[in-house]
Amino acid sequence: MRASEEHVEGAPAQITAMQGGWLKFLLGSFTVQDVILLVYLTVVRLLLAQRQATADQVSCARTTELCIGVVLGAVLIGRVIPGIPPLVRKIVYRVSIVGVLLQNYLVLRWLLPVVRPDSVDGTLLRIDEAIFGREPALVLEVFNVRPVVEWFSFFYFSYFFIGATYMIVSVWLTKPSRRTTAFAIGTLLVFGIGQLGYMAVPGYGPHQYLAQQFKGPINGGFFWGCVWDTVQAGSAMKDIFPSLHTAVPTWFTLHALHNAKTDRRWFWPAIVTGFFAANIIFSTVFLRWHYAIDVLAGLTLAFTAGTLAPLIARREEEWRLARGLRGAWVFD
């Protein structure tokens, strides 16, 4: 009887030890950046589950589920399964995270109409008019001449190259460190919150909603043609609030400025990125893609990420080191 009582009394301690082991395993395997991405994907899947099962709904749901599986597989290969060469771990994890991020943007063209078939352009327009008196995109039509249009079209189009450059440099070419973690956290926050914003506040933008109020089409040339063709080929069409064309380059600028505090090599990239960001921000309204309130929301999102990402990255690094866990980007 006594042995039986001891066994029962010892059970809670054993269960606690097992739970502690599983908890450490999960915390050691998943990082903040993984959790942010998985939370975003889970929210999207839950939103899709509330919609009628159409062909687009089923396709988007399967794509989202596949992305969740890819992230989980990347974590398993990158940090859990033993015997895998470190180089393979690094490549699989990086390709998976970046690939899922890109895929989730590309699927928005079909996902947004499923999640929110309506639009709130009228509300966004009224907010702009309440703040500025008149819609800024209409006011700026006075500058609709080819040299000006081409200048801002060039910068608008450069958004894609800036994104690719920062992704390659920060994730692939720079030695993994807390900066890499901060970049990943900030970028995933900006895209995750931004794309959920598209679903919460759907709209087509002034170029479509106010088409009859403009005196004529955009008077552009080569670079405007590049912008137009790219938008028609890959844009989500209802992706306006917040403006990620505002949030992303602004976040990259803040990231570079933060890095420049301890590494002067980041100073000029920060200045150049900031110059591009300022022109891109203006171009989003001038080229009729966004309402001004979209831009304000994008700036708010960027500065929020710029404040939180370095702080979260530092806290996570300290927390993991104190518990003997590997860094978020350590796969050896």
Side-chain angles (χ1 to χ4, degrees):
M1 183 70 177
R2 183 179 180 81
S4 176
E5 291 175 352
E6 290 177 349
H7 175 74
V8 173
E9 291 173 356
Q14 293 175 359
I15 293 174
T16 300
M18 291 176 61
Q19 291 175 338
W22 275 106
L23 182 61
K24 185 174 181 179
F25 168 77
L26 290 174
L27 294 175
S29 302
F30 291 88
T31 62
V32 172
Q33 61 210 26
D34 304 323
V35 173
I36 293 172
L37 190 51
L38 287 170
V39 167
Y40 167 78
L41 292 168
T42 301
V43 171
V44 171
R45 184 61 185 88
L46 291 174
L47 290 173
L48 287 167
Q50 306 302 313
R51 295 301 174 186
Q52 183 179 357
T54 62
D56 284 345
Q57 187 271 353
V58 172
S59 176
C60 291
R62 289 177 177 173
T63 299
T64 304
E65 292 165 358
L66 176 61
C67 287
I68 292 174
V70 169
V71 174
L72 294 176
V75 170
L76 288 173
I77 294 173
R79 303 193 186 96
V80 178
I81 301 175
I84 299 177
L87 180 60
V88 175
R89 294 182 188 274
K90 295 176 184 178
I91 292 175
V92 169
Y93 183 81
R94 285 168 167 79
V95 169
S96 298
I97 299 301
V98 174
V100 167
L101 181 63
L102 177 60
Q103 176 59 35
N104 273 275
Y105 173 76
L106 295 176
V107 79
L108 288 176
R109 169 172 288 206
W110 297 274
L111 189 149
L112 293 179
V114 170
V115 175
R116 284 293 300 269
D118 61 327
S119 72
V120 296
D121 283 88
T123 301
L124 296 173
L125 175 61
R126 286 191 292 274
I127 293 173
D128 266 15
E129 291 175 339
I131 296 174
F132 302 101
R134 189 180 176 211
E135 170 53 43
L138 292 171
V139 175
L140 293 175
E141 188 177 18
V142 67
F143 301 110
N144 183 26
V145 293
R146 181 154 299 190
V148 178
V149 169
E150 283 294 276
W151 171 272
F152 287 108
S153 294
F154 165 79
F155 284 102
Y156 189 92
F157 191 62
S158 72
Y159 167 87
F160 305 103
F161 296 95
I162 292 174
T165 299
Y166 267 81
M167 198 70 67
I168 292 171
V169 171
S170 298
V171 176
W172 290 96
L173 301 182
T174 303
K175 183 179 179 180
S177 65
R178 186 192 302 172
R179 293 174 183 168
T180 315
T181 303
F183 176 80
I185 291 173
T187 300
L188 290 171
L189 282 175
V190 167
F191 277 98
I193 296 174
Q195 290 174 182
L196 289 176
Y198 295 162
M199 301 172 208
V201 189
Y204 294 98
H207 78 99
Q208 182 169 331
Y209 188 72
L210 300 176
Q212 301 304 316
Q213 297 189 38
F214 289 106
K215 298 176 182 178
I218 293 289
N219 181 16
F222 173 77
F223 285 112
W224 168 245
C226 293
V227 169
W228 180 258
D229 291 343
T230 302
V231 169
Q232 297 306 307
S235 172
M237 298 301 181
K238 298 177 71 175
D239 52 338
I240 63 170
F241 185 96
S243 165
L244 286 187
H245 258 72
T246 295
V248 172
T250 303
W251 149 242
F252 288 160
T253 302
L254 296 173
H255 176 69
L257 286 171
H258 182 79
N259 290 345
K261 294 178 182 178
T262 54
D263 185 347
R264 297 301 293 175
R265 291 177 298 179
W266 280 91
F267 176 77
W268 281 110
I271 297 300
V272 172
T273 307
F275 177 74
F276 272 73
N279 281 276
I280 291 171
I281 291 169
F282 185 85
S283 74
T284 62
V285 177
F286 174 66
L287 297 177
R288 308 174 183 176
W289 299 121
H290 286 282
Y291 302 99
I293 190 61
D294 304 337
V295 171
L296 295 178
L299 289 172
T300 301
L301 177 56
F303 278 95
T304 300
T307 301
L308 293 179
L311 176 62
I312 295 174
R314 178 171 61 84
R315 293 288 178 85
E316 181 183 26
E317 181 182 73
E318 293 171 351
W319 188 90
R320 296 180 74 85
L321 286 174
R323 288 158 180 78
L325 301 172
R326 290 185 297 179
W329 293 89
V330 177
F331 302 101
D332 297 332

